[in-house]
Amino acid sequence: MAGLRLPRRTYRLACPNFGADEIKALRSMFSLLQHHLKQPWEIVQDDEADLLIVNLDSGPPGSLPPEVPVIGCALKPRQHPSGTLHRPLRAGELLALLTEQAAQAPDPAEPPSMAAENLAERRFRLLGWPAGFEQWPAGWHRVLAAISRGARSPVDIAARTGVAVGEVGRCLDMLERDGLVDVVVFHPRPDAQAPAPRAGRWSGLAARVGLLLGFPR
């Protein structure tokens, strides 16, 4: 399978009503999370952010830039709308949020090659984890996780994991050879659109990510 290296852009997070100590703690957390993010993130002070996190305990944050996703955080998140994060921010929740936001945001991409279009016609679902998978490359672990709960195309897997399509293909070839994947032929409609994200899903996703990476609850 031919490799297709996806573009990496830096996403920007702004926290308009965080205190200086909170921003400092957030920067330290970013240093921990960058290794686990397939796209780089940075904390900015201006209005040109891809995502805003506001402190709901400090009152209204003032005017916010239009059309930018806003996520709240609070000491008692259950007293606020579904999807509110814990404050102080927890590593697992933040990692889940940044990962999902980067996946939802549009990315400038090269026109798909004919090979990539053909690859998108086949979707793979994991039937069983291979023996000795711990010795496989780290990127392949993300591929296994990506197809453990549903059938996905190689291009979709690459977009979700940050692993090059060619490397994804080599992993899938190995799994298919050993009979560990179910292959479904799918013909996408040209007008099909991805479903909009549902509010309130961060807690479950964050809990799973945090447990996998060993972050405290």
Side-chain angles (χ1 to χ4, degrees):
M1 295 184 178
L4 174 64
R5 188 167 296 278
L6 299 177
R8 288 173 59 86
R9 57 161 287 195
T10 298
Y11 291 89
R12 302 200 281 186
L13 170 68
C15 304
N17 62 345
F18 275 34
D21 290 342
E22 291 177 302
I23 292 293
K24 182 178 179 180
L26 184 58
R27 292 187 186 279
S28 298
M29 191 178 296
F30 260 46
S31 299
L32 171 66
L33 297 181
Q34 289 291 0
H35 175 70
H36 301 288
L37 292 167
K38 69 185 183 75
Q39 299 285 17
W41 281 80
E42 64 178 346
I43 303 173
V44 298
Q45 300 292 336
D46 55 38
D47 294 337
E48 298 179 359
D50 298 293
L51 177 67
L52 298 173
I53 298 181
V54 298
N55 178 1
L56 299 180
D57 296 325
S58 65
S63 61
L64 298 174
E67 300 181 359
V68 177
V70 179
I71 300 294
C73 66
L75 291 174
K76 298 180 179 180
R78 293 185 179 180
Q79 297 181 0
H80 296 274
S82 179
T84 300
L85 305 179
H86 287 84
R87 174 175 168 267
L89 294 174
R90 297 181 178 181
E93 288 184 341
L94 184 60
L95 177 60
L97 175 62
L98 299 183
T99 299
E100 190 69 14
Q101 179 62 27
Q104 293 293 331
D107 236 350
E110 299 176 359
S113 64
M114 184 62 67
E117 291 178 355
N118 291 336
L119 289 175
E121 299 296 322
R122 305 178 75 213
R123 293 187 173 187
F124 298 80
R125 182 175 64 86
L126 189 66
L127 297 177
W129 289 71
F133 74 90
E134 298 91 348
Q135 306 303 319
W136 287 20
W140 289 23
H141 296 170
R142 298 198 296 273
V143 173
L144 293 172
I147 60 176
S148 63
R149 291 185 175 272
R152 304 190 186 283
S153 71
V155 173
D156 185 18
I157 297 168
R160 290 172 177 271
T161 63
V163 179
V165 171
E167 194 66 19
V168 170
R170 284 186 282 274
C171 178
L172 294 176
D173 286 343
M174 184 78 70
L175 294 171
E176 192 171 5
R177 185 197 67 184
D178 294 339
L180 294 175
V181 287
D182 182 30
V183 183
V184 179
V185 178
F186 177 75
H187 300 281
R189 299 200 324 265
D191 59 344
Q193 295 183 358
R198 293 180 293 130
R201 64 182 173 180
W202 303 120
S203 58
L205 177 59
R208 293 194 299 271
V209 171
L211 288 174
L212 286 173
L213 298 177
F215 293 139
R217 295 180 62 87

